[in-house]
Amino acid sequence: MFIVTASSLNTYSSCPRKYQYKYMEEFESTLPQDALLIGSAVHIGIEHFWLGKTAAEMFEAVDNYYRETPNFWNSDKGEVEKVKITAYLYGYIKERAEMLPLYEVLGVEEKWSETLHVQTMDMTSNRAGKFDLVLRRKSDGEVFVVDHKTSAARDIEDPMSVFWGKLTFDTQVVMYLDGAQRKYGLDRRPRFVYDVIRKTKSKPSMTKRASRKKTETKFQFEARKAALTETLPQFRARMMKEYTTDPSRFMWREILITHDEVERRQDELFLLEKQIQSAPLQYDLPRNPNSCLSAWGACPFFPVCAGQDDLSTSDQYRYKPAHSELKDS
C-alpha cells in the first residue's frame, strides 16, 4: 500500500531521486549522520520522561541506545556529545517537571494512520505518522500535539525568524493536526507546540590562553595546550551548570496556524501526493543537485547519484523497509 508520511513528502520535495532510493527501493545509509544520532538519543530520554520514568530509567534507555552505534559514541567526539546530552536531559527534567501535574498524557510515540478520499483530485491518500507527545491540559481540556526538537540554529531565538515563520505551513504540523483530531475524536483541531532544546556547539576549552614559546617544539606546545584544556569531568560540570541554571535553553512555543492556512497547505500536500502516485515507475525519478549538500553534510545517496557507488553491491547501504518505524513490532 502506498503510505504517505511527513518525512516521505519532505524527502520527495527535496529530491525525487532520494525519495526513490529511500522509499521505493528501500535503502538507507549504514553511516548515520552524527546530528541524527544525537537527536535520537535526546529524543529517547525525553520520551521516557513523559512516560513517567525516573531519571535513572531515562539514562539507562539512552545508554542502551549508545550501544547500537559504538563506533561513534566511543570516539572522542561521541564522548563529548554524551556529556552534552546528559546536561540537556538533566536540564529538561528540571524545566519540565513542574508541567507534569498540569497535563494528562494522552500518548507518547503514538502511531496514527488514516485513509482520506480526495474527490477533487480523484485519489486516495493513506497517511501515517507517529506523535512525539499528545497532552490534554487539565484546567480547560485543551489538547496539544507536541513535537520535540533539538536545534543549534541561531535564529531560533528570534520569534520573527524564518525558523518559526515557516512552521505555520510545515508539512508535519499540518498533517499531525488533522491526524490527531481524527485519532482522538476531537471536535476541533488540537494545538501544536514545539518543545525545543537549544543545543550547544561547546567543547572542552582551554582554561588559560597559551602561546608557543620560541624554545619549545610543536609537540611540546601541543602537549602544553592539552594540559591546559578542560578534562571531561570539568567540561561535564560546566555543561551541567549551564543547562540546569539557564531556562532559555528550553523553549515551549505554540505554533499559531489559521484554519485557512491548514486548508491551503492540505491542498498543496494532496497535489504533491498525486504527483508521486502518478510518477512513471519505469524511469528513475529526477535528481535535484541543489539538495546534494545541506547543513548536515552531503546527501548519503550522493555517491550513487554521481555514479561512484551502487546500492545493491555497496556495504555503505542496506535494505530497510519503508516506514518500518510505523509497523507493529
Side-chain angles (χ1 to χ4, degrees):
M1 181 174 65
F2 178 79
I3 295 176
V4 170
T5 65
S7 294
S8 68
L9 284 180
N10 285 335
T11 299
Y12 185 86
S13 297
S14 171
C15 179
R17 183 69 66 85
K18 183 177 181 180
Y19 174 90
Q20 174 185 326
Y21 291 152
K22 187 172 182 180
Y23 294 101
M24 295 170 61
E25 300 186 30
E26 301 183 309
F27 279 92
E28 71 170 5
S29 172
T30 57
L31 303 172
Q33 295 172 318
D34 295 354
L36 296 180
L37 292 173
I38 295 164
S40 294
V42 176
H43 199 102
I44 288 170
I46 294 175
E47 172 190 341
H48 281 72
F49 171 84
W50 287 103
L51 285 171
K53 304 297 184 180
T54 64
E57 290 171 319
M58 286 173 59
F59 285 103
E60 180 181 4
V62 174
D63 286 340
N64 288 335
Y65 172 73
Y66 291 153
R67 296 189 183 98
E68 296 178 13
T69 48
N71 288 342
F72 173 74
W73 295 111
N74 293 336
S75 68
D76 290 342
K77 180 178 181 179
E79 292 293 345
V80 169
E81 292 300 334
K82 285 194 288 187
V83 166
K84 293 194 281 190
I85 289 169
T86 298
Y88 300 157
L89 293 177
Y90 270 116
Y92 189 90
I93 293 170
K94 183 174 183 293
E95 289 301 314
R96 300 290 180 252
E98 61 185 22
M99 298 176 62
L100 286 175
L102 305 178
Y103 294 90
E104 173 192 358
V105 177
L106 299 182
V108 177
E109 290 296 304
E110 188 81 17
K111 299 174 187 175
W112 63 275
S113 62
E114 59 183 4
T115 298
L116 304 174
H117 300 286
V118 189
Q119 294 181 349
T120 56
M121 297 187 185
D122 188 27
M123 62 172 282
T124 297
S125 172
N126 297 300
R127 292 184 170 182
K130 186 186 288 187
F131 304 120
D132 285 355
L133 176 67
V134 183
L135 300 174
R136 177 180 281 121
R137 192 161 57 195
K138 294 179 180 178
S139 62
D140 57 10
E142 283 287 341
V143 175
F144 297 83
V145 175
V146 182
D147 202 60
H148 309 305
K149 295 292 183 186
T150 56
S151 176
R154 290 185 176 182
D155 59 353
I156 197 172
E157 299 176 21
D158 179 7
M160 302 303 293
S161 67
V162 174
F163 179 93
W164 295 107
K166 70 182 180 64
L167 294 177
T168 58
F169 52 90
D170 181 80
T171 302
Q172 183 180 22
V173 174
V174 171
M175 288 179 63
Y176 280 31
L177 288 179
D178 270 5
Q181 182 180 5
R182 292 185 177 89
K183 181 175 179 63
Y184 293 99
L186 307 177
D187 56 7
R188 64 178 185 275
R189 289 189 181 103
R191 294 154 79 169
F192 198 99
V193 168
Y194 253 39
D195 180 21
V196 184
I197 297 178
R198 294 172 52 216
K199 295 190 298 184
T200 179
K201 295 181 180 179
S202 291
K203 55 185 179 181
S205 60
M206 295 182 64
T207 57
K208 181 179 173 182
R209 293 189 63 180
S211 299
R212 183 174 175 179
K213 300 176 182 178
K214 294 181 178 180
T215 57
E216 64 184 351
T217 64
K218 182 178 179 181
F219 177 80
Q220 291 172 326
F221 177 53
E222 293 299 327
R224 187 161 60 86
K225 282 202 301 182
L228 294 173
T229 300
E230 284 179 312
T231 63
L232 214 54
Q234 289 173 326
F235 179 61
R236 182 180 295 109
R238 176 160 66 87
M239 288 293 96
M240 287 290 288
K241 182 178 179 180
E242 285 188 22
Y243 277 87
T244 57
T245 60
D246 184 2
S248 70
R249 297 283 187 175
F250 306 90
M251 308 180 76
W252 182 272
R253 181 165 179 181
E254 183 176 352
I255 307 305
L256 300 177
I257 178 170
T258 66
H259 173 80
D260 288 345
E261 184 58 62
V262 171
E263 294 300 312
R264 183 161 58 247
R265 183 56 176 159
Q266 287 284 27
D267 287 343
E268 293 173 349
L269 295 179
F270 286 137
L271 186 61
L272 191 59
E273 290 180 53
K274 182 73 171 179
Q275 182 178 340
I276 296 174
Q277 292 184 28
S278 60
L281 301 183
Q282 67 269 35
Y283 300 107
D284 282 334
L285 296 182
R287 293 172 288 182
N288 178 13
N290 294 325
S291 293
C292 293
L293 287 174
S294 70
W296 298 279
C299 170
F301 295 109
F302 176 78
V304 180
C305 286
Q308 302 167 357
D309 212 340
D310 185 272
L311 286 176
S312 59
T313 59
S314 173
D315 59 3
Q316 299 298 308
Y317 305 95
R318 63 189 171 203
Y319 171 75
K320 181 183 179 181
H323 312 298
S324 57
E325 72 280 5
L326 299 177
K327 294 181 172 63
D328 294 328
S329 55

